[in-house]
PDB file of all heavy atoms in Angstrom:
ATOM      1  N   ARG A  14      -6.845  10.962  -1.950  1.00 84.00           N
ATOM      2  CA  ARG A  14      -5.506  10.572  -1.994  1.00 84.00           C
ATOM      3  C   ARG A  14      -4.701  11.734  -2.852  1.00 84.00           C
ATOM      4  O   ARG A  14      -3.595  12.124  -2.477  1.00 84.00           O
ATOM      5  CB  ARG A  14      -5.264   9.332  -2.734  1.00 84.00           C
ATOM      6  CG  ARG A  14      -3.836   8.851  -2.670  1.00 84.00           C
ATOM      7  CD  ARG A  14      -3.723   7.358  -3.090  1.00 84.00           C
ATOM      8  NE  ARG A  14      -4.099   6.994  -4.355  1.00 84.00           N
ATOM      9  CZ  ARG A  14      -5.298   6.382  -4.638  1.00 84.00           C
ATOM     10  NH1 ARG A  14      -5.998   5.881  -3.637  1.00 84.00           N
ATOM     11  NH2 ARG A  14      -5.622   5.970  -5.823  1.00 84.00           N
ATOM     12  N   GLU A  15      -5.376  12.132  -3.973  1.00 85.00           N
ATOM     13  CA  GLU A  15      -4.783  13.136  -4.860  1.00 85.00           C
ATOM     14  C   GLU A  15      -4.639  14.476  -4.136  1.00 85.00           C
ATOM     15  O   GLU A  15      -3.620  15.181  -4.417  1.00 85.00           O
ATOM     16  CB  GLU A  15      -5.511  13.277  -6.088  1.00 85.00           C
ATOM     17  CG  GLU A  15      -5.305  12.045  -7.000  1.00 85.00           C
ATOM     18  CD  GLU A  15      -6.195  12.133  -8.313  1.00 85.00           C
ATOM     19  OE1 GLU A  15      -7.250  12.957  -8.261  1.00 85.00           O
ATOM     20  OE2 GLU A  15      -6.015  11.360  -9.294  1.00 85.00           O
ATOM     21  N   LEU A  16      -5.456  14.751  -3.287  1.00 83.00           N
ATOM     22  CA  LEU A  16      -5.606  16.000  -2.521  1.00 83.00           C
ATOM     23  C   LEU A  16      -4.530  16.013  -1.366  1.00 83.00           C
ATOM     24  O   LEU A  16      -4.291  17.066  -0.775  1.00 83.00           O
ATOM     25  CB  LEU A  16      -6.889  16.448  -2.012  1.00 83.00           C
ATOM     26  CG  LEU A  16      -7.830  16.849  -3.172  1.00 83.00           C
ATOM     27  CD1 LEU A  16      -9.304  16.826  -2.584  1.00 83.00           C
ATOM     28  CD2 LEU A  16      -7.603  18.281  -3.676  1.00 83.00           C
ATOM     29  N   ASN A  17      -4.068  14.737  -1.147  1.00 74.00           N
ATOM     30  CA  ASN A  17      -3.108  14.732   0.044  1.00 74.00           C
ATOM     31  C   ASN A  17      -1.918  13.911  -0.494  1.00 74.00           C
ATOM     32  O   ASN A  17      -1.385  13.007   0.247  1.00 74.00           O
ATOM     33  CB  ASN A  17      -3.665  13.963   1.212  1.00 74.00           C
ATOM     34  CG  ASN A  17      -4.929  14.778   1.866  1.00 74.00           C
ATOM     35  OD1 ASN A  17      -4.599  15.650   2.526  1.00 74.00           O
ATOM     36  ND2 ASN A  17      -6.118  14.538   1.424  1.00 74.00           N
ATOM     37  N   ASP A  18      -1.323  14.207  -1.685  1.00 65.00           N
ATOM     38  CA  ASP A  18      -0.384  13.411  -2.297  1.00 65.00           C
ATOM     39  C   ASP A  18       0.998  13.585  -1.449  1.00 65.00           C
ATOM     40  O   ASP A  18       1.322  14.719  -1.225  1.00 65.00           O
ATOM     41  CB  ASP A  18      -0.194  13.897  -3.762  1.00 65.00           C
ATOM     42  CG  ASP A  18       0.696  12.942  -4.523  1.00 65.00           C
ATOM     43  OD1 ASP A  18       1.866  12.786  -4.159  1.00 65.00           O
ATOM     44  OD2 ASP A  18       0.086  12.311  -5.414  1.00 65.00           O
ATOM     45  N   PRO A  19       1.690  12.448  -1.181  1.00 50.00           N
ATOM     46  CA  PRO A  19       2.867  12.547  -0.394  1.00 50.00           C
ATOM     47  C   PRO A  19       4.070  13.264  -1.127  1.00 50.00           C
ATOM     48  O   PRO A  19       4.970  13.621  -0.499  1.00 50.00           O
ATOM     49  CB  PRO A  19       3.320  11.177  -0.184  1.00 50.00           C
ATOM     50  CG  PRO A  19       2.611  10.371  -1.199  1.00 50.00           C
ATOM     51  CD  PRO A  19       1.216  11.123  -1.418  1.00 50.00           C
ATOM     52  N   ARG A  20       3.851  13.480  -2.456  1.00 47.00           N
ATOM     53  CA  ARG A  20       4.928  14.211  -3.255  1.00 47.00           C
ATOM     54  C   ARG A  20       5.069  15.658  -2.789  1.00 47.00           C
ATOM     55  O   ARG A  20       6.079  16.349  -2.918  1.00 47.00           O
ATOM     56  CB  ARG A  20       4.746  14.127  -4.662  1.00 47.00           C
ATOM     57  CG  ARG A  20       4.911  12.747  -5.358  1.00 47.00           C
ATOM     58  CD  ARG A  20       4.545  12.620  -6.731  1.00 47.00           C
ATOM     59  NE  ARG A  20       3.098  12.940  -6.857  1.00 47.00           N
ATOM     60  CZ  ARG A  20       2.477  13.065  -8.019  1.00 47.00           C
ATOM     61  NH1 ARG A  20       3.083  12.808  -9.204  1.00 47.00           N
ATOM     62  NH2 ARG A  20       1.157  13.194  -8.059  1.00 47.00           N
ATOM     63  N   THR A  21       3.846  16.232  -2.308  1.00 40.00           N
ATOM     64  CA  THR A  21       3.897  17.591  -1.927  1.00 40.00           C
ATOM     65  C   THR A  21       3.594  17.893  -0.538  1.00 40.00           C
ATOM     66  O   THR A  21       3.587  18.898  -0.081  1.00 40.00           O
ATOM     67  CB  THR A  21       2.881  18.451  -2.812  1.00 40.00           C
ATOM     68  OG1 THR A  21       1.660  17.757  -2.657  1.00 40.00           O
ATOM     69  CG2 THR A  21       3.370  18.351  -4.308  1.00 40.00           C
ATOM     70  N   THR A  22       3.081  16.905   0.280  1.00 41.00           N
ATOM     71  CA  THR A  22       2.617  17.014   1.632  1.00 41.00           C
ATOM     72  C   THR A  22       3.634  16.469   2.560  1.00 41.00           C
ATOM     73  O   THR A  22       4.323  15.577   2.265  1.00 41.00           O
ATOM     74  CB  THR A  22       1.237  16.277   1.863  1.00 41.00           C
ATOM     75  OG1 THR A  22       0.315  16.823   0.803  1.00 41.00           O
ATOM     76  CG2 THR A  22       0.705  16.627   3.206  1.00 41.00           C
ATOM     77  N   ALA A  23       3.737  16.984   3.719  1.00 39.00           N
ATOM     78  CA  ALA A  23       4.768  16.504   4.672  1.00 39.00           C
ATOM     79  C   ALA A  23       4.370  15.162   5.404  1.00 39.00           C
ATOM     80  O   ALA A  23       4.021  15.063   6.565  1.00 39.00           O
ATOM     81  CB  ALA A  23       4.959  17.670   5.829  1.00 39.00           C
ATOM     82  N   TYR A  24       4.279  14.228   4.543  1.00 37.00           N
ATOM     83  CA  TYR A  24       4.020  12.863   4.981  1.00 37.00           C
ATOM     84  C   TYR A  24       5.303  12.206   5.657  1.00 37.00           C
ATOM     85  O   TYR A  24       6.419  12.619   5.306  1.00 37.00           O
ATOM     86  CB  TYR A  24       3.674  11.920   3.833  1.00 37.00           C
ATOM     87  CG  TYR A  24       2.248  11.889   3.481  1.00 37.00           C
ATOM     88  CD1 TYR A  24       1.454  12.953   3.373  1.00 37.00           C
ATOM     89  CD2 TYR A  24       1.681  10.702   3.074  1.00 37.00           C
ATOM     90  CE1 TYR A  24       0.080  12.953   2.975  1.00 37.00           C
ATOM     91  CE2 TYR A  24       0.230  10.519   2.739  1.00 37.00           C
ATOM     92  CZ  TYR A  24      -0.454  11.757   2.777  1.00 37.00           C
ATOM     93  OH  TYR A  24      -1.688  11.714   2.267  1.00 37.00           O
ATOM     94  N   ASN A  25       5.069  11.272   6.611  1.00 41.00           N
ATOM     95  CA  ASN A  25       6.181  10.500   7.046  1.00 41.00           C
ATOM     96  C   ASN A  25       6.201   9.179   6.148  1.00 41.00           C
ATOM     97  O   ASN A  25       5.312   9.015   5.359  1.00 41.00           O
ATOM     98  CB  ASN A  25       6.222  10.222   8.486  1.00 41.00           C
ATOM     99  CG  ASN A  25       4.852   9.679   8.900  1.00 41.00           C
ATOM    100  OD1 ASN A  25       4.358   8.765   8.281  1.00 41.00           O
ATOM    101  ND2 ASN A  25       4.402   9.938  10.205  1.00 41.00           N
ATOM    102  N   LYS A  26       7.114   8.232   6.402  1.00 40.00           N
ATOM    103  CA  LYS A  26       7.194   7.117   5.647  1.00 40.00           C
ATOM    104  C   LYS A  26       6.041   6.211   5.841  1.00 40.00           C
ATOM    105  O   LYS A  26       5.470   5.527   4.911  1.00 40.00           O
ATOM    106  CB  LYS A  26       8.528   6.285   6.098  1.00 40.00           C
ATOM    107  CG  LYS A  26       9.771   7.016   5.653  1.00 40.00           C
ATOM    108  CD  LYS A  26      11.041   6.162   5.978  1.00 40.00           C
ATOM    109  CE  LYS A  26      12.356   6.906   5.480  1.00 40.00           C
ATOM    110  NZ  LYS A  26      13.473   6.022   5.970  1.00 40.00           N
ATOM    111  N   ARG A  27       5.469   6.186   7.062  1.00 42.00           N
ATOM    112  CA  ARG A  27       4.148   5.342   7.369  1.00 42.00           C
ATOM    113  C   ARG A  27       3.095   5.903   6.498  1.00 42.00           C
ATOM    114  O   ARG A  27       2.295   5.075   5.880  1.00 42.00           O
ATOM    115  CB  ARG A  27       3.935   5.308   8.759  1.00 42.00           C
ATOM    116  CG  ARG A  27       2.692   4.713   9.168  1.00 42.00           C
ATOM    117  CD  ARG A  27       2.337   4.865  10.547  1.00 42.00           C
ATOM    118  NE  ARG A  27       1.007   4.241  10.939  1.00 42.00           N
ATOM    119  CZ  ARG A  27      -0.228   4.649  10.587  1.00 42.00           C
ATOM    120  NH1 ARG A  27      -0.216   5.880  10.011  1.00 42.00           N
ATOM    121  NH2 ARG A  27      -1.255   4.082  10.862  1.00 42.00           N
ATOM    122  N   ASP A  28       2.906   7.117   6.493  1.00 41.00           N
ATOM    123  CA  ASP A  28       1.738   7.782   5.597  1.00 41.00           C
ATOM    124  C   ASP A  28       1.891   7.402   4.225  1.00 41.00           C
ATOM    125  O   ASP A  28       0.950   7.030   3.677  1.00 41.00           O
ATOM    126  CB  ASP A  28       1.770   9.276   5.866  1.00 41.00           C
ATOM    127  CG  ASP A  28       1.598   9.961   7.255  1.00 41.00           C
ATOM    128  OD1 ASP A  28       0.995   8.984   8.053  1.00 41.00           O
ATOM    129  OD2 ASP A  28       2.176  10.810   7.628  1.00 41.00           O
ATOM    130  N   ALA A  29       3.142   7.530   3.670  1.00 39.00           N
ATOM    131  CA  ALA A  29       3.274   7.276   2.268  1.00 39.00           C
ATOM    132  C   ALA A  29       2.940   5.792   1.953  1.00 39.00           C
ATOM    133  O   ALA A  29       2.343   5.435   1.000  1.00 39.00           O
ATOM    134  CB  ALA A  29       4.696   7.656   1.886  1.00 39.00           C
ATOM    135  N   ALA A  30       3.360   4.903   3.030  1.00 44.00           N
ATOM    136  CA  ALA A  30       3.243   3.486   2.792  1.00 44.00           C
ATOM    137  C   ALA A  30       1.720   3.205   2.724  1.00 44.00           C
ATOM    138  O   ALA A  30       1.181   2.402   2.016  1.00 44.00           O
ATOM    139  CB  ALA A  30       3.985   2.697   3.779  1.00 44.00           C
ATOM    140  N   VAL A  31       1.012   3.770   3.613  1.00 43.00           N
ATOM    141  CA  VAL A  31      -0.477   3.580   3.720  1.00 43.00           C
ATOM    142  C   VAL A  31      -1.079   4.028   2.420  1.00 43.00           C
ATOM    143  O   VAL A  31      -2.019   3.489   1.883  1.00 43.00           O
ATOM    144  CB  VAL A  31      -1.034   4.342   4.944  1.00 43.00           C
ATOM    145  CG1 VAL A  31      -2.618   4.121   4.881  1.00 43.00           C
ATOM    146  CG2 VAL A  31      -0.607   3.597   6.228  1.00 43.00           C
ATOM    147  N   THR A  32      -0.760   5.265   1.990  1.00 40.00           N
ATOM    148  CA  THR A  32      -1.298   5.832   0.760  1.00 40.00           C
ATOM    149  C   THR A  32      -0.921   4.875  -0.453  1.00 40.00           C
ATOM    150  O   THR A  32      -1.920   4.551  -1.243  1.00 40.00           O
ATOM    151  CB  THR A  32      -0.714   7.187   0.563  1.00 40.00           C
ATOM    152  OG1 THR A  32      -1.107   8.088   1.634  1.00 40.00           O
ATOM    153  CG2 THR A  32      -1.192   7.847  -0.777  1.00 40.00           C
ATOM    154  N   ARG A  33       0.213   4.459  -0.589  1.00 44.00           N
ATOM    155  CA  ARG A  33       0.558   3.686  -1.827  1.00 44.00           C
ATOM    156  C   ARG A  33      -0.132   2.236  -1.625  1.00 44.00           C
ATOM    157  O   ARG A  33      -0.524   1.685  -2.581  1.00 44.00           O
ATOM    158  CB  ARG A  33       2.150   3.461  -1.802  1.00 44.00           C
ATOM    159  CG  ARG A  33       2.793   4.732  -2.039  1.00 44.00           C
ATOM    160  CD  ARG A  33       2.247   5.539  -3.263  1.00 44.00           C
ATOM    161  NE  ARG A  33       2.974   6.760  -3.542  1.00 44.00           N
ATOM    162  CZ  ARG A  33       2.562   7.804  -4.182  1.00 44.00           C
ATOM    163  NH1 ARG A  33       1.367   7.656  -4.658  1.00 44.00           N
ATOM    164  NH2 ARG A  33       3.336   8.753  -4.346  1.00 44.00           N
ATOM    165  N   GLY A  34      -0.313   1.686  -0.465  1.00 50.00           N
ATOM    166  CA  GLY A  34      -0.881   0.501  -0.182  1.00 50.00           C
ATOM    167  C   GLY A  34      -2.417   0.500  -0.668  1.00 50.00           C
ATOM    168  O   GLY A  34      -2.883  -0.422  -1.029  1.00 50.00           O
ATOM    169  N   ALA A  35      -2.940   1.715  -0.579  1.00 45.00           N
ATOM    170  CA  ALA A  35      -4.410   1.772  -1.070  1.00 45.00           C
ATOM    171  C   ALA A  35      -4.483   1.629  -2.568  1.00 45.00           C
ATOM    172  O   ALA A  35      -5.610   1.280  -3.033  1.00 45.00           O
ATOM    173  CB  ALA A  35      -5.018   3.167  -0.731  1.00 45.00           C
ATOM    174  N   ASP A  36      -3.347   1.703  -3.358  1.00 47.00           N
ATOM    175  CA  ASP A  36      -3.445   1.502  -4.749  1.00 47.00           C
ATOM    176  C   ASP A  36      -3.453  -0.065  -5.140  1.00 47.00           C
ATOM    177  O   ASP A  36      -3.607  -0.396  -6.210  1.00 47.00           O
ATOM    178  CB  ASP A  36      -2.242   2.075  -5.335  1.00 47.00           C
ATOM    179  CG  ASP A  36      -2.412   3.604  -5.393  1.00 47.00           C
ATOM    180  OD1 ASP A  36      -3.633   4.146  -5.462  1.00 47.00           O
ATOM    181  OD2 ASP A  36      -1.504   4.356  -5.293  1.00 47.00           O
ATOM    182  N   VAL A  37      -3.165  -0.922  -4.103  1.00 50.00           N
ATOM    183  CA  VAL A  37      -2.995  -2.445  -4.397  1.00 50.00           C
ATOM    184  C   VAL A  37      -4.332  -3.042  -4.551  1.00 50.00           C
ATOM    185  O   VAL A  37      -5.227  -2.766  -3.603  1.00 50.00           O
ATOM    186  CB  VAL A  37      -2.137  -2.991  -3.171  1.00 50.00           C
ATOM    187  CG1 VAL A  37      -2.056  -4.592  -3.551  1.00 50.00           C
ATOM    188  CG2 VAL A  37      -0.828  -2.457  -3.101  1.00 50.00           C
ATOM    189  N   SER A  38      -4.576  -3.747  -5.559  1.00 52.00           N
ATOM    190  CA  SER A  38      -5.971  -4.376  -5.743  1.00 52.00           C
ATOM    191  C   SER A  38      -6.204  -5.542  -4.713  1.00 52.00           C
ATOM    192  O   SER A  38      -5.287  -6.093  -4.179  1.00 52.00           O
ATOM    193  CB  SER A  38      -6.123  -4.777  -7.180  1.00 52.00           C
ATOM    194  OG  SER A  38      -5.309  -5.956  -7.351  1.00 52.00           O
ATOM    195  N   ASP A  39      -7.384  -5.864  -4.545  1.00 59.00           N
ATOM    196  CA  ASP A  39      -7.767  -6.996  -3.633  1.00 59.00           C
ATOM    197  C   ASP A  39      -7.231  -8.291  -4.101  1.00 59.00           C
ATOM    198  O   ASP A  39      -6.869  -9.072  -3.388  1.00 59.00           O
ATOM    199  CB  ASP A  39      -9.338  -6.989  -3.461  1.00 59.00           C
ATOM    200  CG  ASP A  39      -9.906  -5.906  -2.750  1.00 59.00           C
ATOM    201  OD1 ASP A  39      -9.246  -5.236  -1.962  1.00 59.00           O
ATOM    202  OD2 ASP A  39     -11.162  -5.642  -2.841  1.00 59.00           O
ATOM    203  N   ASP A  40      -7.241  -8.411  -5.501  1.00 59.00           N
ATOM    204  CA  ASP A  40      -6.622  -9.693  -6.044  1.00 59.00           C
ATOM    205  C   ASP A  40      -5.237  -9.800  -5.696  1.00 59.00           C
ATOM    206  O   ASP A  40      -4.736 -10.873  -5.314  1.00 59.00           O
ATOM    207  CB  ASP A  40      -6.901  -9.757  -7.561  1.00 59.00           C
ATOM    208  CG  ASP A  40      -8.384  -9.973  -7.867  1.00 59.00           C
ATOM    209  OD1 ASP A  40      -9.172 -10.463  -6.940  1.00 59.00           O
ATOM    210  OD2 ASP A  40      -8.713  -9.658  -9.099  1.00 59.00           O
ATOM    211  N   THR A  41      -4.522  -8.582  -5.892  1.00 61.00           N
ATOM    212  CA  THR A  41      -3.129  -8.713  -5.618  1.00 61.00           C
ATOM    213  C   THR A  41      -2.789  -8.938  -4.013  1.00 61.00           C
ATOM    214  O   THR A  41      -1.925  -9.730  -3.694  1.00 61.00           O
ATOM    215  CB  THR A  41      -2.408  -7.360  -6.014  1.00 61.00           C
ATOM    216  OG1 THR A  41      -2.588  -7.140  -7.394  1.00 61.00           O
ATOM    217  CG2 THR A  41      -0.806  -7.403  -5.618  1.00 61.00           C
ATOM    218  N   LYS A  42      -3.655  -8.368  -3.154  1.00 57.00           N
ATOM    219  CA  LYS A  42      -3.427  -8.477  -1.787  1.00 57.00           C
ATOM    220  C   LYS A  42      -3.781 -10.054  -1.365  1.00 57.00           C
ATOM    221  O   LYS A  42      -2.999 -10.634  -0.651  1.00 57.00           O
ATOM    222  CB  LYS A  42      -4.411  -7.782  -1.035  1.00 57.00           C
ATOM    223  CG  LYS A  42      -4.167  -6.220  -1.035  1.00 57.00           C
ATOM    224  CD  LYS A  42      -5.200  -5.400  -0.448  1.00 57.00           C
ATOM    225  CE  LYS A  42      -4.982  -3.938  -0.458  1.00 57.00           C
ATOM    226  NZ  LYS A  42      -6.063  -3.105   0.072  1.00 57.00           N
ATOM    227  N   GLN A  43      -4.679 -10.621  -2.054  1.00 69.00           N
ATOM    228  CA  GLN A  43      -5.028 -12.073  -1.727  1.00 69.00           C
ATOM    229  C   GLN A  43      -3.827 -12.948  -2.282  1.00 69.00           C
ATOM    230  O   GLN A  43      -3.416 -13.920  -1.609  1.00 69.00           O
ATOM    231  CB  GLN A  43      -6.264 -12.540  -2.350  1.00 69.00           C
ATOM    232  CG  GLN A  43      -7.512 -11.829  -1.861  1.00 69.00           C
ATOM    233  CD  GLN A  43      -8.913 -12.190  -2.497  1.00 69.00           C
ATOM    234  OE1 GLN A  43      -8.886 -12.911  -3.487  1.00 69.00           O
ATOM    235  NE2 GLN A  43      -9.916 -11.656  -2.035  1.00 69.00           N
ATOM    236  N   LEU A  44      -3.224 -12.741  -3.446  1.00 69.00           N
ATOM    237  CA  LEU A  44      -2.139 -13.436  -3.895  1.00 69.00           C
ATOM    238  C   LEU A  44      -0.969 -13.246  -3.011  1.00 69.00           C
ATOM    239  O   LEU A  44      -0.270 -14.312  -2.721  1.00 69.00           O
ATOM    240  CB  LEU A  44      -1.746 -12.904  -5.333  1.00 69.00           C
ATOM    241  CG  LEU A  44      -0.446 -13.590  -5.975  1.00 69.00           C
ATOM    242  CD1 LEU A  44      -0.746 -14.976  -6.169  1.00 69.00           C
ATOM    243  CD2 LEU A  44      -0.254 -12.934  -7.428  1.00 69.00           C
ATOM    244  N   MET A  45      -0.666 -11.993  -2.552  1.00 65.00           N
ATOM    245  CA  MET A  45       0.524 -11.786  -1.696  1.00 65.00           C
ATOM    246  C   MET A  45       0.328 -12.542  -0.348  1.00 65.00           C
ATOM    247  O   MET A  45       1.232 -13.140   0.181  1.00 65.00           O
ATOM    248  CB  MET A  45       0.694 -10.316  -1.447  1.00 65.00           C
ATOM    249  CG  MET A  45       1.110  -9.535  -2.661  1.00 65.00           C
ATOM    250  SD  MET A  45       0.928  -7.733  -2.420  1.00 65.00           S
ATOM    251  CE  MET A  45       2.110  -7.436  -1.214  1.00 65.00           C
ATOM    252  N   ALA A  46      -0.870 -12.599   0.130  1.00 68.00           N
ATOM    253  CA  ALA A  46      -1.191 -13.227   1.463  1.00 68.00           C
ATOM    254  C   ALA A  46      -1.037 -14.744   1.184  1.00 68.00           C
ATOM    255  O   ALA A  46      -0.414 -15.452   2.224  1.00 68.00           O
ATOM    256  CB  ALA A  46      -2.592 -12.935   1.847  1.00 68.00           C
ATOM    257  N   SER A  47      -1.402 -15.291   0.172  1.00 72.00           N
ATOM    258  CA  SER A  47      -1.220 -16.733  -0.045  1.00 72.00           C
ATOM    259  C   SER A  47       0.212 -17.129  -0.201  1.00 72.00           C
ATOM    260  O   SER A  47       0.682 -18.199   0.226  1.00 72.00           O
ATOM    261  CB  SER A  47      -1.997 -17.251  -1.312  1.00 72.00           C
ATOM    262  OG  SER A  47      -1.542 -16.663  -2.485  1.00 72.00           O
ATOM    263  N   GLN A  48       0.889 -16.332  -0.822  1.00 68.00           N
ATOM    264  CA  GLN A  48       2.446 -16.531  -1.102  1.00 68.00           C
ATOM    265  C   GLN A  48       3.120 -16.354   0.344  1.00 68.00           C
ATOM    266  O   GLN A  48       3.998 -17.227   0.636  1.00 68.00           O
ATOM    267  CB  GLN A  48       3.067 -15.529  -2.011  1.00 68.00           C
ATOM    268  CG  GLN A  48       2.625 -15.706  -3.556  1.00 68.00           C
ATOM    269  CD  GLN A  48       3.126 -14.612  -4.346  1.00 68.00           C
ATOM    270  OE1 GLN A  48       3.341 -13.504  -3.969  1.00 68.00           O
ATOM    271  NE2 GLN A  48       3.256 -15.090  -5.557  1.00 68.00           N
ATOM    272  N   ILE A  49       2.682 -15.450   1.171  1.00 67.00           N
ATOM    273  CA  ILE A  49       3.292 -15.338   2.398  1.00 67.00           C
ATOM    274  C   ILE A  49       3.034 -16.653   3.280  1.00 67.00           C
ATOM    275  O   ILE A  49       3.869 -17.170   4.010  1.00 67.00           O
ATOM    276  CB  ILE A  49       2.887 -14.091   3.141  1.00 67.00           C
ATOM    277  CG1 ILE A  49       3.429 -12.878   2.469  1.00 67.00           C
ATOM    278  CG2 ILE A  49       3.185 -14.144   4.689  1.00 67.00           C
ATOM    279  CD1 ILE A  49       2.871 -11.533   3.032  1.00 67.00           C
ATOM    280  N   ASP A  50       1.735 -17.100   3.211  1.00 70.00           N
ATOM    281  CA  ASP A  50       1.266 -18.364   4.008  1.00 70.00           C
ATOM    282  C   ASP A  50       2.210 -19.472   3.548  1.00 70.00           C
ATOM    283  O   ASP A  50       2.699 -20.387   4.421  1.00 70.00           O
ATOM    284  CB  ASP A  50      -0.194 -18.517   3.831  1.00 70.00           C
ATOM    285  CG  ASP A  50      -0.935 -17.540   4.499  1.00 70.00           C
ATOM    286  OD1 ASP A  50      -0.514 -16.862   5.429  1.00 70.00           O
ATOM    287  OD2 ASP A  50      -2.151 -17.442   4.261  1.00 70.00           O
ATOM    288  N   ALA A  51       2.279 -19.644   2.256  1.00 70.00           N
ATOM    289  CA  ALA A  51       3.004 -20.760   1.624  1.00 70.00           C
ATOM    290  C   ALA A  51       4.541 -20.755   2.077  1.00 70.00           C
ATOM    291  O   ALA A  51       5.090 -21.841   2.501  1.00 70.00           O
ATOM    292  CB  ALA A  51       2.899 -20.781   0.159  1.00 70.00           C
ATOM    293  N   LEU A  52       5.095 -19.546   2.034  1.00 66.00           N
ATOM    294  CA  LEU A  52       6.553 -19.421   2.493  1.00 66.00           C
ATOM    295  C   LEU A  52       6.802 -19.702   3.966  1.00 66.00           C
ATOM    296  O   LEU A  52       7.709 -20.247   4.376  1.00 66.00           O
ATOM    297  CB  LEU A  52       7.102 -18.106   2.015  1.00 66.00           C
ATOM    298  CG  LEU A  52       8.546 -17.790   2.384  1.00 66.00           C
ATOM    299  CD1 LEU A  52       9.354 -18.826   1.447  1.00 66.00           C
ATOM    300  CD2 LEU A  52       8.943 -16.480   1.889  1.00 66.00           C
ATOM    301  N   SER A  53       5.785 -19.213   4.695  1.00 69.00           N
ATOM    302  CA  SER A  53       5.787 -19.408   6.091  1.00 69.00           C
ATOM    303  C   SER A  53       5.704 -20.959   6.375  1.00 69.00           C
ATOM    304  O   SER A  53       6.465 -21.407   7.345  1.00 69.00           O
ATOM    305  CB  SER A  53       4.592 -18.735   6.755  1.00 69.00           C
ATOM    306  OG  SER A  53       4.677 -19.035   8.196  1.00 69.00           O
ATOM    307  N   ASP A  54       4.861 -21.662   5.696  1.00 70.00           N
ATOM    308  CA  ASP A  54       4.769 -23.162   5.952  1.00 70.00           C
ATOM    309  C   ASP A  54       6.077 -23.825   5.579  1.00 70.00           C
ATOM    310  O   ASP A  54       6.502 -24.776   6.125  1.00 70.00           O
ATOM    311  CB  ASP A  54       3.644 -23.733   5.247  1.00 70.00           C
ATOM    312  CG  ASP A  54       2.237 -23.424   5.635  1.00 70.00           C
ATOM    313  OD1 ASP A  54       2.189 -22.992   6.884  1.00 70.00           O
ATOM    314  OD2 ASP A  54       1.293 -23.327   4.810  1.00 70.00           O
TER     315      ASP A  54
END
């Protein structure tokens, strides 16, 4: 990720989102998923 940082590489918005998403911990992802399910219900 550091060797392909979007601050200096010609990334598009999707690339940057994928890169930043890699920084999200598994615990945070599970919490977000549960909140989305609850709001959907």
Side-chain angles (χ1 to χ4, degrees):
R14 187 169 63 247
E15 289 176 343
L16 287 167
N17 296 279
D18 195 294
R20 289 173 297 176
T21 58
T22 307
Y24 270 45
N25 57 36
K26 291 182 179 179
R27 175 187 177 281
D28 299 328
V31 172
T32 297
R33 296 311 182 199
D36 290 326
V37 179
S38 70
D39 289 339
D40 288 344
T41 299
K42 291 175 183 176
Q43 291 176 2
L44 175 61
M45 292 165 65
S47 65
Q48 290 177 330
I49 288 175
D50 288 341
L52 185 57
S53 179
D54 291 340

